[in-house]
Amino acid sequence: MNVEVDLKKCQDHGQCVYAAPDLFALDNEGRLSLRSEAADVYVAEVDEGSAEELYEAAEVCPLQAITVHE
Ligand code: SF4
């Protein structure tokens, strides 16, 4: 499965970090750590074992910035 995070929508609220600490983190400046200068969208493969966490993160994100692809 894949996760897609729209980094233009994301406002670094951090709810995803609480819901899925193995998948999301904030950096020292309080910004989502998977941000990069190069891309507006972050895409990564996620292990099936983390599916529950991932769906929880997608659900709690107040900006619906997280999309899960099976
Ligand atoms: S919960 Fe959503 S808006 Fe907040 S940091 Fe995570 S992806 Fe960004």
Side-chain angles (χ1 to χ4, degrees), residues 38-61:
D40 289 336
V41 177
Y42 170 86
V43 180
E45 197 170 324
V46 174
D47 194 85
E48 292 289 336
S50 298
E52 199 173 320
E53 271 188 55
L54 179 56
Y55 278 111
E56 175 72 15
E59 198 174 311
V60 298
C61 176

Side-chain angles (χ1 to χ4, degrees), residues 5 9-17 24 26 32 35 57 60-66:
V5 184
K9 280 188 188 171
C10 171
Q11 292 185 9
D12 306 298
H13 292 289
Q15 278 91 332
C16 57
V17 179
F24 298 93
L26 296 178
L32 197 61
R35 286 185 178 282
V60 298
C61 176
L63 294 153
Q64 276 109 44
I66 301 172

Side-chain angles (χ1 to χ4, degrees), residues 19-34:
D22 294 339
L23 302 174
F24 298 93
L26 296 178
D27 65 18
N28 292 339
E29 293 169 359
R31 304 188 78 214
L32 197 61
S33 63
L34 45 74

